[in-house]
Amino acid sequence: MLFGQSVFQSVLTRLEEERGEEEAEETEASFRIKGLGMGFVAPTDEGQALAATGTEAYLAFLPELPEFDLPLTEAEESKSAPQIPARLLRLTEKEIAEELAITAADTEATLAEKRRQFAKANHPDGFAPELRDNANIRMKTANLLIDTAIKGLFWR
């Protein structure tokens, strides 16, 4: 280790010295063509060679991709547009209460089970982003109805 250098710096210094010795040996053992210090040369479509280094050399071989957006046909639009389930269109308290079928005979356990079943079928995370608003309204309403029914159990 050289004085005042870290171990890492001393290793780098030693490697540079070794590389310099190897290059000197190569020049002695072979001849060097002058004027080719421009790095990798990638041919272009016109037949001319351009100097490229690093990333340019890599990208020179990649094909050019056209950038364009094709309009969707009606069949593709119908496939890409999410189909709205009929239940997501039922947003009133009355319609959701009919689905939940809450009765006076329900216990806290049965109401909790109804909440789980309703959430399994209607939770917003289970729908495409365009449909989540309706699913969110349905979940809020169902939770309100079930919470009200559970409160009613304690007031009896």
Side-chain angles (χ1 to χ4, degrees):
M1 181 169 133
L2 297 173
F3 184 72
Q5 288 186 339
S6 69
V7 174
F8 181 73
Q9 289 173 333
S10 63
V11 169
L12 288 178
T13 304
R14 184 177 50 102
L15 289 174
E16 287 177 8
E17 290 172 359
E18 288 176 5
R19 186 174 30 163
E21 291 171 5
E22 289 175 4
E23 287 178 0
E25 290 173 4
E26 285 179 13
T27 55
E28 291 172 7
S30 64
F31 63 93
R32 181 174 263 186
I33 299 174
K34 295 189 179 200
L36 291 180
M38 57 187 208
F40 181 78
V41 179
T44 63
D45 291 339
E46 295 84 30
Q48 299 173 350
L50 297 175
T53 59
T55 308
E56 295 169 349
Y58 175 75
L59 295 176
F61 289 103
L62 293 179
E64 291 291 326
L65 298 175
E67 294 182 23
F68 56 88
D69 292 328
L70 294 176
L72 295 177
T73 63
E74 288 181 26
E76 291 172 334
E77 281 183 23
S78 64
K79 287 180 186 178
S80 65
Q83 297 295 327
I84 300 175
R87 68 179 184 272
L88 285 184
L89 299 175
R90 298 172 45 111
L91 300 175
T92 64
E93 272 189 37
K94 181 181 177 189
E95 292 170 329
I96 295 170
E98 288 172 0
E99 284 184 51
L100 290 171
I102 297 174
T103 64
D106 283 329
T107 64
E108 192 171 352
T110 59
L111 290 170
E113 181 60 28
K114 286 183 181 188
R115 185 189 313 259
R116 278 191 291 280
Q117 293 302 319
F118 191 86
K120 197 183 288 186
N122 296 286
H123 197 279
D125 291 344
F127 294 100
E130 303 84 41
L131 305 176
R132 288 186 182 158
D133 288 338
N134 285 9
N136 198 22
I137 291 168
R138 287 178 54 79
M139 282 301 302
K140 286 180 183 179
T141 306
N143 284 329
L144 173 72
L145 293 170
I146 292 170
D147 289 342
T148 304
I150 290 173
K151 271 188 195 173
L153 291 175
F154 294 110
W155 294 106
R156 287 186 201 167

